[in-house]
Amino acid sequence: MADKLKTGYEGTNVPEDFSIPPVGIEDIDRAIFDLFNTRLAFETKVNNQTSRVPVIFAAGERFALTRRDNPLRDNNNVLILPLISIKRGTIGHKTQADVFGTAISIRKTGDYYIKKRLDSSDRDYQKIVNNLRLKNQKDVATRSHIAVSDTSPGTQANAGEVASRRSGGPQSFRDPQKFNLLSNDLINNIYEFITVPYPKFVGITYNIIFWTQYMQEMNQLIESFMMKFDGQAPEFVLETNKGYTFTAFVQNTFANNDNFDDFTSDERIIKMSLDIKVPGYIIAPEHPGLPSPYRRFVSAPQINFEIWEQNAQLVAEPLLKNADEIVDRFALTDVVPMNSEGHELTRRGEEKLRVIENIQNPFNGQAATKYLKVTSRVPKAGETIFTSQKIKKIDTIE
């Protein structure tokens, strides 16, 4: 049966002392508003008077006012111009082709590793492996702490002392050439890994409207806007107050909407609008009804470089020629994930090459060629196994 793609919420192993600031749609809204209100900080100058252009994030009834023919007015019925209004438009799910501007790419995985640190159990583990070769500390394993050595390297420890049968540090007769108690090399440790569900990608469109009463003011706003792009492309880098970054892509066209053709007693209004698209992501939301997004895993990775030999022919498995061969090969078997070539995906500890073995078909008595997997390690368990004695371990390079 094919493995189900994880969601990142499996299990109950939630860390109690870790959290990160969540990021979502509201953070992108604030980043857009800060872009126009703080970073760009528009100003206009008319009749030798410089004024700051206010920015509003229009929502609900507030934006209904900006959509009317008449702009906003103050308590004295005076036009509040110039003005910049921002309205959030459509929100959609995004795929790999749509999120080219995000800091995180889409991957076929359910969780996202965000933290690696020493686990709390590593302190006790270091007393056993004794990487620093301590010799005069009773709670650290050394060769001298072994009391009974009738079976190598020993079976019992001295009273009140710690000993270990492990090879390496506790049983070594040699000390490192560079003995440094303050060394920050982290080797042979127990690590804690913390994950969150993989980000969900969204695409948000914002409609920006520049309001002015004079063409001179509108020209100043548009020119200032275009001169402040982050680079040559019409883009802006958005950064939230939590440290997350996004990229805002400015669309190419400014739409003009004024009332020059309306020869009435109304005040002159000039409006220019454009759209900005922001591909964003949602990470670790903490809303009512959602479980905790954090999960912890403990691992003690050890890296070995090994040399293996084989006494059979290793070849690449031939490509399946047509769809019928692919169907026939997996008929009456469990559903398994396959690659584009029609072969099963290679898992950890498996080689891409195959061992050729000639067998006799029990039904028709004809000779047939069988391709065997070369499995050197059992996933998770780490045990060494041999397939038909075709491969053999020669040496381990430490």
Side-chain angles (χ1 to χ4, degrees), residues 8-16 195 291-297:
Y9 287 102
E10 291 84 0
T12 58
N13 46 329
V14 179
E16 299 179 355
T195 66
S292 173
Y294 309 106
R295 297 294 185 271
R296 64 181 295 269
F297 304 92

Side-chain angles (χ1 to χ4, degrees), residues 3 36 54 111 124 160 226 251 277 284 316 327 348 355 375:
D3 296 333
F36 284 87
D111 47 19
D124 295 331
M226 300 182 67
Q251 304 308 296
K277 294 184 178 181
V327 173
R348 190 182 72 173
V355 175
T375 304

Side-chain angles (χ1 to χ4, degrees), residues 273-324:
S273 63
L274 74 153
D275 290 336
I276 293 181
K277 294 184 178 181
V278 181
Y281 44 86
I282 302 174
I283 297 180
E286 297 179 349
H287 302 308
L290 291 179
S292 173
Y294 309 106
R295 297 294 185 271
R296 64 181 295 269
F297 304 92
V298 177
S299 177
Q302 295 184 358
I303 301 176
N304 292 327
F305 295 94
E306 300 174 345
I307 301 176
W308 298 75
E309 69 174 0
Q310 51 82 24
N311 56 7
Q313 184 179 3
L314 292 178
V315 296
E317 196 167 2
L319 299 178
L320 302 182
K321 297 181 180 179
N322 51 54
D324 293 336

